[in-house]
Amino acid sequence: LLSTASGYRPSDASGDCCTAQAGAGSVKSRNGHRSCYFPGIEQRQAMVLKLQYKGGAEVPLEVEGICPDTLRGETISVIEKREVFHGNVRVPLAEFFAVSGDASDACHQWDGDLAGVHWIGAGMTEGTICISADGGRHIGSEMSGGQITVEGNASDWVGAEMKGGLIEVRGRAGHLVGSAYRGSAKGM
């Protein structure tokens, strides 16, 4: 899922994950590694939407549809009301995440222990997602554009049936990376 031909650019830039550096075209995360690349945002600070996991989910959370392209231009109050699944129950995003920042530059920073949070970036078409720790299943599944960086480990089905974009997992990825879902003829 990571290829130098796909736009991966190492950098000596500094700053938080999702902070564009003038002329560098990439950023450095809090742990000192290069994380995210923001085409077209090199000359200014990126407006970042931050989603801080509050914890407390007894069963997995499914956040399908919470993507940079689908939230671009929405206000914080509208984003907080977006529904996610807690098991088989629909709940507002704000029940499990503190939402802050700005969604206008299609850059999302996901913080907290997200190992039980599934479908981050699934179906995204553009934008950037930085996951500061471990992430759950189906990260970037069926995505067709954009970039996702996972600073920790990712669970199963990373990039399943993805058509485009870039996913970088800095830790370990689980089973079925880039594969087809059951019943489908092709994976990524």
Side-chain angles (χ1 to χ4, degrees), residues 59 85-90:
V59 295
F85 278 95
H86 179 227
N88 63 357
V89 178
R90 290 178 187 243

Side-chain angles (χ1 to χ4, degrees), residues 14-144:
S14 61
D16 284 342
C17 184
C18 289
T19 305
Q21 300 298 312
S26 58
V27 300
K28 200 173 193 183
S29 69
R30 282 180 233 119
N31 67 6
H33 295 98
R34 193 225 35 93
S35 263
C36 299
Y37 169 65
F38 303 102
I41 310 178
E42 292 89 3
Q43 300 304 316
R44 62 185 172 80
Q45 177 89 8
M47 302 302 292
V48 179
L49 180 69
K50 295 188 178 191
L51 298 114
Q52 174 67 48
Y53 181 56
K54 298 175 187 177
E58 289 120 24
V59 295
L61 287 172
E62 296 183 355
V63 296
E64 192 170 10
I66 308 297
C67 295
D69 49 335
T70 60
L71 299 184
R72 178 176 266 173
E74 291 190 1
T75 64
I76 297 296
S77 62
V78 169
I79 293 168
E80 289 175 330
K81 292 175 188 167
R82 283 282 190 125
E83 290 184 334
V84 298
F85 278 95
H86 179 227
N88 63 357
V89 178
R90 290 178 187 243
V91 296
L93 181 68
E95 190 168 322
F96 290 99
F97 289 90
V99 182
S100 63
D102 187 334
S104 62
D105 277 342
C107 175
H108 292 187
Q109 173 74 40
W110 292 73
D111 294 319
D113 181 8
L114 303 167
V117 179
H118 307 310
W119 301 95
I120 297 173
M124 71 186 269
T125 61
E126 66 176 355
T128 305
I129 294 176
C130 297
I131 301 170
S132 65
D134 294 342
R137 294 186 302 267
H138 305 283
I139 292 173
S141 293
E142 300 178 336
M143 71 186 275
S144 59

